[in-house]
Amino acid sequence: MKPDPPAGDPPAADADAAKDVPAPADPPPVQTEEPSPPAEVPAAEAAQGAPPPGDEASTEMPPEADTAAPTSATEDAPVMSSEALPASDGAASERPPEEETPPPPPIPTPMPRQVPVPSRPAPPQPEVPMERSKHDLVDKMPYLFVRVVRARGLPARAQPHVRVAAGGRHACTREARRGAFFEWDQTFAFARDPTTDSPGPTLEVSVWDLPPDADVSIADDRSFLGGLCFDTADVHARDPPDGPLATQWYRLEGGRRLAGADLMVATWAGTQADEAFAEAWKADSPASSSSSAAAASRAKVYVSPKLWLLRLTVIEAQDTLTAAPPRDAGIAVRGTLGFQTLKTRTTVVNRNGGPAWNEDLVFVAAEPFIDDDCFVISLEVRHGKEAFPVGSASISLAAIERRVDDRKVASKWLDLLPSDEAMRKVGKRAAMHMHGGRLHVRVCLDGGYHVADEPPYASSDFRPSARQLWRQPVGILELGIVGCKGLLPMRTADGKGCTDAYAVAKYGPKWARTRTIADSFDPAWNEQYTWPVYDPCTVLTVGVFDDPLPSLSPDGGKDAVCSRPMGKVRIRLSTLENGRVYRGTYPLILMLPTGAKRMGDVELAVRFATSGTVLDVLHMYGQPALPAMHHLRPIPAASRDALRLAAARISAAHLARAEPPLRREVSTWMLDAAEPRGEV
């Protein structure tokens, strides 16, 4: 007799039926749990009766499934339907015999319902790197911009100008350029103050058939060609990096001489970060009728020229003289490059052999080189205090070989020809019979050296001249020139003291000049500039100057156009923390013959952010500041100061040729190459 099967086991018939049912497919990899077998259902639930088959077929997933990886409803549906049929058959076989009911009619497989998933918060959006504002270190200064482009429909013989007025201030365009239209293309900027409704509720743009800066209050009505009126509250606001606002034609109203004239104008509200701000007319700029004077007061960025060391190695000379020189005469070689003149030592002339020197002469040359830039080498005989040139040769700077290491450059023999100076001193006939001979030299441009135009204690750059030897930048230096407080009057105009101040910042080859603010002892520039940093052991220099251009009189003399320094500040980058903003006020100290004097205070904001890791920055501190050529073949100590002063003079001359120029007295004083001029 076989023992009865356990109560939890299904009957044999049910087991055979289960075998006929095809086995369910393997679950997807994300499904890690299966429904519990029917034998594990608690007895209390079995005694209460099983739920209807339809409800059992839609049994919800266990709570653990909610915490698993989320899947779509279409992936869960086939898995749940394949498990629902075996679970309902097993539950029906567990009913007691006394509660058996006739088997229900076959029910079609129900559609599985979706499992309710609790709502979850949306995943946070990936943090988009915010673009750093161009003026995030300084205060934003709101301005109302007006751009006047052109006009059409005006009388052909008119000489019109446009007058822009807002908040009691007005500005006039220059004379129009005649063509298909009357062209001006000028931009005006009026300072805005929302708290005081400045520059006013309305903006007036009018066209007058009068010369610029004419008094329109007494003008005839026939001179008025029409005007426009804008509500400043409805002006569109523009923030970079938005593109420039499109100009639009407006119909002029109020003019009696014409009908149908149009003016192309654009108005918008912006800040000093606007691209049009640098070239725009500003109410706080010096008033001057000269366009060149107005351009000289705008903010500009200048770049110093690339400087090279020109090395001349004088080896020997041959066949220099055909006649015997005096006994005490000597011979020397002179090199001339622009204002730089160097000569070798004077050696005694030997009758049997040529003189030999084996001496180096080092000059400073500025790139780019053109064919007209020549390096002149001359041979001269010195007798007492007089020097008689024998001959000379010139070499184009563009044809001189460049090197980046200490390899030897091929030497060459130069044929010396009688120079013009020799003809003047000894006569043309004697110079024709003078034989200059040949000179054995070695000339090259040394790109492995750093040509310094600043003093060593305030150097802002140590890179060599050759670009292939430069390191990668280690960070970014950002400077915000906020303004000055309590400046002293630098001169007298109309019976009162005034100061028209501007600031100049210098780091590496880049110079930044702020705009000139007229007649203010507390000027506010709020301008920001950026430099790449190649060495953290460098110094940033900021100087403040007085611009005398507005008070220049026709008979003011030469000293009237000299910018007078008011003091400078030097900030060493190695003392700044990475990414920290330093904003503070620094005193402006000027050394005068009577002693040091405080000229006021300047407010600056500085941030130095490194682009590498801390180890990269520490590695930079362990490297020598100067390039390797300064240690392999050092420059003589007696020549270093002369080379620095020559480099500063070349940089000052290059910046003075810019338009508008950066004056020589400004650059030389910033480079400590000249003493400040003028008294307070």
Side-chain angles (χ1 to χ4, degrees), residues 462-552:
F462 293 104
R463 290 176 295 170
S465 301
R467 181 177 291 271
Q468 57 265 33
L469 299 180
W470 290 2
R471 304 169 181 169
Q472 292 295 328
V474 298
I476 294 295
L477 172 64
E478 297 174 275
L479 171 67
I481 306 178
V482 182
C484 287
K485 299 290 184 182
L487 295 180
L488 298 182
M490 297 296 293
R491 63 186 183 280
T492 302
D494 298 332
K496 66 175 184 177
C498 65
T499 298
D500 300 339
Y502 68 93
V504 177
K506 198 269 182 188
Y507 184 81
K510 178 179 175 181
W511 300 66
R513 180 199 188 278
T514 66
R515 68 186 189 278
T516 301
I517 296 183
D519 196 12
S520 176
F521 299 134
D522 300 325
W525 295 292
N526 286 300
E527 298 182 16
Q528 186 169 336
Y529 302 94
T530 305
W531 289 267
V533 178
Y534 294 87
D535 194 333
C537 300
T538 47
V539 178
L540 168 69
T541 304
V542 182
V544 180
F545 299 86
D546 173 56
D547 193 353
L549 195 59
S551 61
L552 179 61

Side-chain angles (χ1 to χ4, degrees), residues 360-639:
D360 289 345
L361 302 179
V362 183
F363 303 84
V364 178
E367 198 177 15
F369 306 128
I370 58 178
D371 296 336
D372 296 339
D373 295 337
C374 294
F375 178 47
V376 180
I377 305 174
S378 59
L379 186 70
E380 59 184 21
V381 176
R382 304 188 64 86
H383 178 62
K385 295 183 179 180
E386 296 184 359
F388 299 94
V390 177
S392 63
S394 61
I395 305 175
S396 175
L397 294 181
I400 297 178
E401 185 179 355
R402 308 183 185 189
R403 68 175 184 179
V404 297
D405 49 14
D406 58 344
R407 64 179 178 85
K408 283 192 175 182
V409 180
S411 60
K412 61 179 68 176
W413 286 92
L414 300 178
D415 294 330
L416 300 179
L417 302 176
S419 61
D420 296 339
E421 187 178 359
M423 294 182 181
R424 290 194 304 267
K425 287 191 174 183
V426 301
K428 184 176 181 180
R429 181 174 299 179
M432 294 176 60
H433 298 282
M434 183 179 295
H435 182 66
R438 298 191 307 165
L439 191 62
H440 193 198
V441 296
R442 185 181 294 114
V443 187
C444 67
L445 290 168
D446 276 330
Y449 291 90
H450 166 65
V451 185
D453 56 357
E454 299 170 301
Y457 59 85
S459 181
S460 61
D461 194 7
F462 293 104
R463 290 176 295 170
S465 301
R467 181 177 291 271
Q468 57 265 33
L469 299 180
W470 290 2
R471 304 169 181 169
Q472 292 295 328
V474 298
I476 294 295
L477 172 64
E478 297 174 275
L479 171 67
I481 306 178
V482 182
C484 287
K485 299 290 184 182
L487 295 180
L488 298 182
M490 297 296 293
R491 63 186 183 280
T492 302
D494 298 332
K496 66 175 184 177
C498 65
T499 298
D500 300 339
Y502 68 93
V504 177
K506 198 269 182 188
Y507 184 81
K510 178 179 175 181
W511 300 66
R513 180 199 188 278
T514 66
R515 68 186 189 278
T516 301
I517 296 183
D519 196 12
S520 176
F521 299 134
D522 300 325
W525 295 292
N526 286 300
E527 298 182 16
Q528 186 169 336
Y529 302 94
T530 305
W531 289 267
V533 178
Y534 294 87
D535 194 333
C537 300
T538 47
V539 178
L540 168 69
T541 304
V542 182
V544 180
F545 299 86
D546 173 56
D547 193 353
L549 195 59
S551 61
L552 179 61
S553 57
D555 55 349
K558 200 172 184 179
D559 295 337
V561 297
C562 293
S563 293
R564 296 184 177 182
M566 305 183 67
K568 57 186 170 185
V569 177
R570 287 193 170 105
I571 301 175
R572 191 169 296 276
L573 268 62
S574 57
T575 61
L576 305 179
E577 295 183 11
N578 181 23
R580 180 179 175 183
V581 178
Y582 293 84
R583 179 165 177 172
T585 303
Y586 303 88
L588 296 173
I589 306 298
L590 183 63
M591 295 301 299
L592 300 174
T594 56
K597 186 173 183 179
R598 184 167 182 171
M599 307 300 295
D601 299 323
V602 59
E603 186 176 359
L604 305 175
V606 185
R607 175 171 54 206
F608 172 48
T610 58
S611 57
T613 62
V614 179
L615 294 179
D616 295 337
V617 179
L618 293 178
H619 177 70
M620 289 295 302
Y621 282 105
Q623 299 296 318
L626 293 174
M629 283 295 294
H630 287 268
H631 308 283
L632 296 177
R633 195 173 181 182
I635 301 174
S639 304

